[in-house]
Amino acid sequence: EPEVTQTPSHQVTQMGQEVILRCVPISNHLYFYWYRQILGQKVEFLVSFYNNEISEKSEIFDDQFSVERPDGSNFTLKIRSTKLEDSAMYFCASTRRPEGNSPLHFGNGTRLTVT
Amino acid sequence: GIQVEQSPPDLILQEGANSTLRCNFSDSVNNLQWFHQNPWGQLINLFYIPSGTKQNGRLSATTVATERYSLLYISSSQTTDSGVYFCAVETPSDNNDMRFGAGTRLTVKP
C-alpha cells in the first residue's frame, strides 16, 4: 500500500538555524498538509496546500514558516530562524481529493529538536 | 472552528478488559478518522468512518453523524493497545481541514 514518507525521522538544530522538512505524498493525491505535535499535546493543523498554493493556514503558521512543492513529488516545510518552542513532531499528510470525503494519510513524522 | 472533545482523557485497563472511547464534535462533518499514536509517535489510521459502523479485529467504531459523536470500542485489550487514541474530523466550516481532539491516553496493564 502506498505511504506518505517523511525525511529525516529526527533532526536536531540550533536555535536560529533554518530547517527543511521533507515529505513525499502518495503519488495520486492532490491535497497536502502539515501538522505539528508538541510533546504530550494534541496534533495541530499548520497548513494545507492544493493546486500549488496554500489553501488554508492556522495562526501557528506565521512568517517563519513556508511550504513548497519544488517538483512533482516532494512537499517541503521550511522553518526559518528556529526557536526553542518549534521543537515538536511534524507530520505530513495527503489525501486524494479536496472534498473532504476520502481519508487522510499521515507520514511517520519528523521529530525536530531545537537546542 | 469545530470543537472536538474526547473522553475519557486517561484510561487504565487490565489486559483482557473492554473499553469504549468517545468523540463528540460540535458541527456536521464530512470525514471522521480514528488514529492510534504508538510509543514511537507514529499515527496509525484505525478507521475512516464519517458514518455507520466498521469492525477490524478487536476494534470497532460507530459514528452517529446526526448526533455528532463517534465511539471506538476495544475488546479484549492487550498491552500493545497502549498509547494515545485520537479522533479527527473534517468539516466544511474549516475548509475541510482535519482537526484533532486532545486524545485518550490508554494504558493496558499485564
Side-chain angles (χ1 to χ4, degrees), chain A residues 19-39:
Chain A
V19 296
I20 297 176
L21 309 183
R22 303 182 190 279
C23 169
V24 179
I26 295 174
S27 61
N28 64 346
H29 285 189
L30 301 175
Y31 217 66
F32 315 118
Y33 302 78
W34 283 101
Y35 286 80
R36 179 184 82 174
Q37 185 183 30
I38 295 171
L39 186 63

Side-chain angles (χ1 to χ4, degrees), chain A:
Chain A
E1 185 177 330
E3 294 182 342
V4 176
T5 57
Q6 290 186 242
T7 55
S9 57
H10 191 184
Q11 180 150 2
V12 181
T13 189
Q14 287 191 325
M15 194 168 53
Q17 296 297 305
E18 173 183 287
V19 296
I20 297 176
L21 309 183
R22 303 182 190 279
C23 169
V24 179
I26 295 174
S27 61
N28 64 346
H29 285 189
L30 301 175
Y31 217 66
F32 315 118
Y33 302 78
W34 283 101
Y35 286 80
R36 179 184 82 174
Q37 185 183 30
I38 295 171
L39 186 63
Q41 299 186 21
K42 72 176 183 180
V43 181
E44 301 172 290
F45 169 77
L46 290 178
V47 65
S48 56
F49 192 87
Y50 172 66
N51 201 25
N52 287 320
E53 61 183 19
I54 290 175
S55 178
E56 189 179 357
K57 58 185 180 179
S58 71
E59 293 176 351
I60 303 168
F61 194 88
D62 60 22
D63 292 343
Q64 150 188 51
F65 294 91
S66 62
V67 290
E68 194 176 35
R69 190 158 161 80
D71 52 43
S73 60
N74 290 285
F75 179 51
T76 62
L77 174 69
K78 182 189 291 186
I79 309 175
R80 288 182 281 274
S81 189
T82 50
K83 299 176 281 194
L84 293 176
E85 54 264 38
D86 293 328
S87 294
M89 181 79 97
Y90 289 82
F91 291 101
C92 173
S94 68
T95 188
R96 188 172 65 245
R97 292 179 295 174
E99 293 86 4
N101 55 352
S102 58
L104 206 58
H105 296 258
F106 280 81
N108 286 336
T110 292
R111 187 173 298 282
L112 176 66
T113 303
V114 182
T115 62

